[in-house]
């Protein structure tokens, strides 16, 4: 069997899914600063989504006594771990690791099998929605401190988790009905609505939730320190648009770009599907700190599309 | 007026017979020359047989059992045509005999390729009986039906026009072309009497993707010097003469039999410009005679014969048609586009791997003629050797061309 980027990515996604969703049951714990939706509400998870940590740090007022000594250092330590993990892998966390990403990919697969047309994927719509993830990140940044200073009730301590469809969907994979029932009983009223929209959304749009994901926004803000880059040789690009059509986020900028070398746009997931489907030798490259992990090639792309 | 120009039916039939014999003779001479080559491999025989079987849609239909559909240029999505149950047939436009059929009624400097097509359309009944889809690419193509009608009132006319937006980077241009491709789909459905579903499309896209994979592997071997230009051209030219699956299988079978590394490393050039069609292999032959090896080209009759590699992960019918539209328009490197700097950049990027660039201009072929000047300047700025050869389908200028090519060969040696 030939090793392809697609096979590597799919394997990575499944391995990550097992480790992050069930790792705790085998004693695996990747800590509290995982830069993807490793949901802490999944019983027996193998690591915890750092958005929980961020909310905890910003909502420190809930337990002011913990602001000194060991807890403070521990909180700062997790900030450091998060930055290091993000710096090392960038948005590989999104495209190759995130368990919620894999769940969304299953929905896309189902849509394709049924031959249903993707919606909400036009350039205009996506451009309009592109600030949404930053707005959600702002929501995470603003609400917990308001709890700290007493302007909001303590139920706003984890404002993002309370509206996160990951919290509603990922614990289902524990196959523990009793636990899920208890968890569901504590939901905000907004969560079922958000989850319903997400369920419909991810059927009709590839990686629907990623369009709004504050983790994606947070990782993108750390781009200056991340090692992963998507680079383009503009002279070799014919402009065919294969990259845009292969892109789960529908990024058209990679194809349209004529000047810039760096084409890692803010909604990019580093999944490398663009480079895989690019028919021009060396036009798109995925780099890790100046080392080329994958470079597009006509021969590679030609093997990519031979099955209906 | 019309009655005056129309000869008696038996005279027409007689002329058609004579002209068909003339074209067949020309094809046979070129085939003889290919068969007689020392570098002929057993794997080439399938392709030679295709050329020998007749370069008209009738031969293709007999071979494949599929109805053929006439095409010119490279913008009509082959996958869509194939999904409708037609076999796309790009009209062979390299016959000098057919070119010579057009004695009068045409501008003095008419593109020989178009004259050849015009000759064929008047005298080849096999073409006249099949539907004809024509994209509005260059002025010659756009005016072809009009010129044709003026010289031959009952000549075959296009059955469907594809209006090609000459701006491909703008949203308006792209949307217009997508609508055009959807209209083509409707036309094909009406013509074939069957609906094109998403499964048909997915199958055809996969079929042409496999053909493109074979072509890409062949291209890689050619760049390594394993296939002489004349053979590569002959192989690419046969693409429309059989079912794509069989052509693909024959290329796949040929590749392992190719020599590991044929010929010298130096003196390898890139061939760009106007297309070269069978049976007019005059220029490639002269290049060979001058001791120059062409190991890469940008011809719509060779390296770019079809775009291939349409990313088609999306599986709805609408998305597949839209994907084909994008691939055949945005990714098309024909020089007729107004916003065409990608083409020049692409050639510049590729040309760096060669000793020089030979630019072929068919006399009267304006898009390539115009482009040759901007390209020449850009290539020379990069320090690359460049030669521009303007010629047509006649043999008279062969000595002159050969002298110039030999001189060019000398400059490559110095590099």
């Amino acid at each position: 069997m030939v090793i392809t980027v697609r096979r590597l990515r799919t394997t990575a996604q499944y391995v990550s899914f097992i480790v992050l969703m069930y790792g705790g049951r085998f004693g695996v714990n990747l800590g509290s600063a995982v830069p993807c939706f490793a949901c802490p509400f999944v019983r027996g998870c193998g690591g915890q989504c750092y958005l929980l940590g961020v909310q905890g740090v910003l909502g420190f007022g809930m337990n002011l006594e913990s602001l000194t000594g060991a807890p403070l250092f521990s909180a700062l330590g997790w900030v450091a771990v998060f930055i290091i993990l993000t710096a090392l892998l960038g948005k590989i966390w999104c495209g190759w690791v995130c368990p919620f990403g894999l769940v969304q990919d299953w929905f896309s697969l189902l849509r394709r099998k049924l031959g249903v047309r993707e919606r909400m994927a036009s350039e205009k719509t996506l451009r309009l929605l592109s600030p949404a993830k930053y707005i959600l990140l702002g929501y995470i940044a603003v609400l917990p401190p308001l709890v700290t200073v007493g302007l909001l009730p303590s139920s706003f301590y984890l404002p993002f988790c309370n509206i996160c469809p990951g919290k509603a969907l990922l614990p289902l994979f524990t196959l523990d009905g009793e636990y899920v029932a208890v968890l569901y009983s504590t939901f905000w009223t907004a969560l079922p609505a958000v989850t319903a929209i997400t369920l419909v959304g991810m059927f009709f749009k590839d990686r629907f939730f990623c369009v709004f994901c504050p983790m994606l926004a947070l990782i993108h803000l750390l781009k200056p320190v991340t090692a992963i880059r998507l680079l383009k040789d503009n002279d070799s690009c014919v402009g065919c648009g294969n990259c845009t059509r292969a892109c789960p986020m529908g990024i058209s900028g990679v194809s349209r770009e004529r000047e810039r070398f760096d084409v890692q746009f803010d909604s990019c997931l580093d999944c490398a599907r663009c480079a895989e489907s690019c028919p021009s030798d060396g036009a798109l490259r995925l780099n890790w700190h100046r080392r080329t992990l994958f470079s597009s090639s006509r021969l590679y792309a030609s093997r990519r599309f031979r099955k209906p | 007026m019309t009655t005056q120009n129309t000869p008696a039916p038996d005279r027409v039939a007689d002329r058609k017979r004579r002209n068909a014999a003339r074209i067949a003779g020309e094809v046979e001479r070129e085939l003889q020359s290919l068969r007689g080559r020392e570098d002929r491999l057993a794997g080439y025989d399938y392709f030679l047989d295709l050329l020998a079987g007749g370069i008209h849609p009738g031969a293709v239909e007999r071979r494949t059992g599929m109805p053929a559909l006439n095409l010119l240029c490279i913008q009509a999505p082959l996958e869509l045509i194939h999904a409708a149950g037609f076999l796309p047939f790009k009209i062979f436009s390299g016959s000098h005999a057919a070119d010579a059929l057009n004695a009068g009624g045409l501008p003095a400097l008419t593109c020989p390729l178009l004259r050849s097509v015009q000759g064929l359309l008047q005298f080849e009944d096999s073409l006249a009986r099949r539907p004809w889809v024509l994209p509005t690419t260059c002025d010659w193509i756009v005016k072809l039906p009009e010129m044709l009608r003026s010289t031959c009132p009952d000549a075959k006319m296009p059955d469907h026009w594809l209006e090609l937006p000459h701006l491909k980077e703008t949203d308006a241009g792209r949307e217009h072309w997508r609508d055009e491709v959807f209209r083509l789909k409707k036309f094909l459905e009406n013509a074939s009497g069957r609906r094109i579903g998403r499964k048909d499309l997915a199958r055809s896209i996969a079929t042409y993707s496999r053909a493109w994979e074979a072509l890409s592997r062949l291209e890689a071997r050619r760049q390594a010097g394993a296939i002489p230009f004349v053979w590569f051209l002959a192989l690419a030219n046969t693409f429309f003469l059989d079912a794509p699956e069989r052509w693909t299988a024959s290329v796949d079978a040929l590749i392992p039999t190719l020599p590991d590394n044929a010929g010298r490393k130096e003196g390898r050039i890139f061939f760009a410009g106007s297309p070269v069609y069978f049976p007019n292999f005059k220029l490639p032959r002269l290049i060979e005679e001058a001791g120059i090896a062409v190991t890469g080209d940008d011809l719509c009759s060779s390296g770019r014969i079809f775009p291939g590699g349409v990313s088609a992960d999306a599986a709805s019918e609408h998305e597949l048609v839209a994907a084909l539209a994008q691939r055949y328009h945005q990714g098309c490197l024909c020089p007729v586009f107004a916003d065409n700097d990608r083409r020049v950049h692409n050639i510049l990027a590729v040309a760096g791997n060669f000793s020089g660039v030979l630019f072929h201009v068919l006399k009267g072929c304006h898009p390539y003629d115009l482009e040759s000047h901007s390209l020449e300047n850009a290539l020379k700025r990069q320090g690359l050797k460049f030669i521009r050869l303007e010629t047509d389908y006649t043999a008279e200028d062969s000595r002159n061309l050969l002298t110039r090519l030999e001189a060019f060969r000398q400059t490559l040696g110095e590099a």
Side-chain angles (χ1 to χ4, degrees):
Chain A
M1 197 156 86
V2 189
I3 297 174
T4 61
V5 177
R6 184 160 47 163
R7 288 199 176 115
L8 277 178
R9 185 179 52 235
T10 311
T11 310
Q13 281 185 295
Y14 277 91
V15 170
S16 315
F17 187 87
I18 291 165
V19 169
L20 292 172
M21 298 283 288
Y22 306 107
R25 301 174 188 216
F26 315 106
V28 178
N29 185 3
L30 299 183
S32 306
V34 180
C36 72
F37 276 27
C39 184
F41 294 94
V42 173
R43 198 186 248 178
C45 66
Q48 300 186 353
C49 167
Y50 190 58
L51 289 181
L52 179 82
V54 170
Q55 294 170 93
V57 169
L58 294 170
F60 57 83
M62 286 297 288
N63 34 4
L64 265 175
E65 70 280 6
S66 75
L67 205 58
T68 51
L72 178 68
F73 284 112
S74 148
L76 289 176
W78 286 122
V79 173
V81 170
F82 175 75
I83 292 174
I84 291 167
L85 290 176
T86 305
L88 282 176
L89 291 179
K91 289 172 189 165
I92 293 279
W93 289 106
C94 305
W96 296 58
V97 180
C98 181
F100 197 46
L102 180 62
V103 172
Q104 294 183 74
D105 288 348
W106 289 334
F107 277 76
S108 299
L109 209 64
L110 178 68
R111 187 192 72 242
R112 294 207 170 104
K113 284 265 177 282
L114 297 174
V116 174
R117 182 177 162 190
E118 188 182 14
R119 300 286 164 172
M120 273 181 64
S122 80
E123 272 181 59
K124 208 178 143 196
T125 313
L126 294 173
R127 208 170 29 241
L128 218 70
L129 288 173
S130 71
K133 52 186 173 298
Y134 296 107
I135 293 169
L136 269 175
L137 189 62
Y139 168 85
I140 289 176
V142 170
L143 263 62
L146 291 181
V147 175
T148 297
V149 297
L151 283 175
L152 279 174
S154 62
S155 57
F156 283 86
Y157 174 56
L158 294 174
F160 182 71
C161 292
N162 282 330
I163 57 162
C164 174
K167 182 186 172 188
L169 297 172
L170 293 175
L172 293 174
F173 292 94
T174 58
L175 299 177
D176 185 342
E178 218 172 301
Y179 167 69
V180 172
V182 172
L183 185 71
Y184 276 23
S185 70
T186 64
F187 275 0
W188 277 18
T189 42
L191 189 55
V194 172
T195 307
I197 293 169
T198 307
L199 279 170
V200 175
M202 55 197 195
F203 176 74
F204 284 104
K205 159 95 188 76
D206 287 343
R207 293 285 182 131
F208 171 82
F209 187 74
C210 301
V211 175
F212 307 94
C213 182
M215 183 65 94
L216 181 62
L218 188 58
I219 298 178
H220 191 74
L221 291 179
L222 287 174
K223 185 178 165 183
V225 299
T226 59
I228 298 274
R229 284 290 180 280
L230 182 67
L231 304 173
K232 177 173 176 183
D233 171 14
N234 281 291
D235 286 345
S236 303
C237 171
V238 297
C240 67
N242 267 6
C243 49
T244 307
R245 290 193 297 281
C247 178
M249 303 299 282
I251 299 170
S252 56
V254 176
S255 169
R256 287 196 186 267
E257 185 57 53
R258 310 291 292 280
E259 305 284 333
R260 262 185 300 181
F261 183 48
D262 180 342
V263 285
Q264 197 178 36
F265 293 98
D266 67 346
S267 52
C268 177
L269 306 175
D270 284 350
C271 67
R273 282 184 178 88
C274 52
E276 277 186 280
S277 50
C278 174
S280 303
D281 289 331
L284 283 176
R285 274 184 295 141
L286 193 71
N287 266 27
W288 189 85
H289 190 65
R290 291 189 203 140
R291 233 166 297 211
T292 298
L293 302 176
F294 181 76
S295 177
S296 67
S297 91
R298 176 170 171 175
L299 278 176
Y300 185 96
S302 78
R303 291 186 187 112
R304 166 107 171 65
F305 301 114
R306 55 183 164 182
K307 283 205 187 98
Chain B
M1 179 88 181
T2 309
T3 45
Q4 222 176 14
N5 283 351
T6 314
D10 55 330
R11 274 193 56 203
V12 173
D14 193 41
R15 262 190 85 184
K16 280 186 179 172
R17 256 196 308 279
R18 263 183 300 146
N19 288 321
R22 222 175 282 166
I23 295 169
E26 191 186 7
V27 167
E28 191 48 42
R29 271 195 303 283
E30 189 52 55
L31 272 171
Q32 281 305 333
S33 141
L34 284 170
R35 289 199 187 101
R37 286 173 65 105
E38 277 179 13
D39 55 7
R40 176 179 164 190
L41 301 169
Y44 292 147
D45 286 354
Y46 159 82
F47 305 97
L48 291 174
D49 290 347
L50 289 181
L51 292 169
I55 52 174
H56 51 80
V60 179
E61 288 186 350
R62 274 196 302 279
R63 194 171 295 127
T64 61
M66 278 170 89
L69 182 136
N70 297 326
L71 284 177
L72 277 174
C73 297
I74 52 170
Q75 288 81 7
L78 305 178
E79 291 87 344
L80 192 60
I81 295 163
H82 187 262
F86 287 109
L87 199 73
F89 177 81
K90 197 171 163 188
I91 300 172
F92 273 73
S93 30
S95 166
H96 178 49
D99 164 2
L101 298 176
N102 289 289
L106 292 177
L109 247 185
T110 306
C111 167
L113 190 152
L114 263 291
R115 278 206 309 257
S116 178
V117 170
Q118 198 166 344
L120 283 177
L121 283 164
Q122 290 174 53
F123 295 101
E124 180 63 65
D125 289 334
S126 178
L127 285 172
R129 283 196 297 271
R130 274 83 193 178
W132 178 18
V133 171
L134 192 59
T136 56
T137 50
C138 69
D139 286 355
W140 291 120
I141 293 277
V142 171
K143 287 294 194 185
L144 171 66
E146 194 181 320
M147 297 191 298
L148 199 55
R149 194 183 284 122
S150 71
T151 52
C152 182
D154 55 351
K156 172 75 181 167
M157 287 291 120
D159 297 276
H160 185 80
W161 282 102
L162 272 170
E163 194 189 355
L164 182 74
H166 283 199
L167 289 173
K168 52 180 184 170
E169 303 286 342
T170 64
D171 289 339
R174 290 174 179 190
E175 279 161 26
H176 181 74
W177 176 251
R178 193 193 53 214
D179 294 346
E180 278 295 301
V181 173
F182 274 100
R183 272 189 282 277
L184 173 66
K185 179 171 179 277
K186 273 227 170 65
F187 166 79
L188 292 167
E189 286 175 339
N190 285 335
S192 67
R194 69 188 238 195
R195 230 191 76 74
I196 304 173
R198 83 180 160 98
K199 286 196 172 133
D200 304 316
L201 281 166
R203 254 197 308 274
S204 293
I205 288 175
T207 300
Y208 281 85
S209 291
R210 278 192 289 270
W212 189 63
E213 186 195 348
L215 184 69
S216 303
R217 289 172 58 209
L218 197 66
E219 178 69 55
R221 299 297 295 124
R222 181 261 281 262
Q223 281 184 19
I227 313 166
F229 187 39
V230 171
W231 282 118
F232 191 86
L233 272 174
L235 264 52
N237 267 246
T238 58
F239 182 64
F240 294 98
L241 288 176
D242 201 354
E245 295 89 342
R246 260 205 303 269
W247 184 90
T248 306
S250 305
V251 171
D252 284 342
L254 167 72
I255 289 171
T257 71
L258 290 169
D260 273 346
N261 199 349
R264 312 168 306 273
K265 275 264 187 282
E266 73 277 11
R268 288 181 177 177
I269 63 157
F270 186 76
F271 189 118
S274 305
V276 175
Y277 280 98
F278 184 81
N280 189 294
F281 284 179
K282 175 182 84 174
L283 192 54
R285 215 177 280 293
L286 290 171
I287 295 170
E288 237 172 34
E289 210 179 316
I292 300 171
V294 175
T295 51
D297 76 64
D298 164 62
L299 306 184
C300 57
S301 60
S302 174
R304 293 196 280 124
I305 196 146
F306 65 106
V310 180
S311 75
D313 288 337
S316 79
E317 185 186 311
H318 182 278
E319 284 162 307
L320 291 174
V321 179
L324 285 169
Q326 284 188 358
R327 184 72 182 95
Y328 276 79
H329 182 234
Q330 283 168 230
C332 181
L333 292 178
C334 177
V336 296
F337 294 101
D339 45 3
N340 210 26
D341 42 333
R342 283 197 207 253
R343 176 178 154 79
V344 176
H345 288 152
N346 291 163
I347 293 179
L348 288 174
V350 175
N353 305 326
F354 298 83
S355 309
V357 174
L358 183 149
F359 200 92
H360 170 222
V361 178
L362 282 172
K363 276 180 190 156
C365 176
H366 300 141
Y368 286 104
D369 195 353
L370 291 164
E371 179 191 79
S372 70
H373 300 283
S374 50
L375 199 64
E376 177 169 5
N377 292 334
L379 283 165
K380 284 188 172 162
R381 265 199 301 278
Q382 285 199 358
L384 284 158
K385 304 288 178 214
F386 181 90
I387 184 173
R388 175 181 179 283
L389 292 177
E390 187 165 344
T391 181
D392 55 18
Y393 289 180
T394 59
E396 279 85 37
D397 59 354
S398 295
R399 288 210 67 81
N400 184 329
L401 289 171
L402 185 61
T403 311
R404 290 194 57 202
L405 281 165
E406 279 166 349
F408 185 58
R409 169 79 188 89
Q410 303 281 318
T411 66
L412 295 177
E414 288 161 19

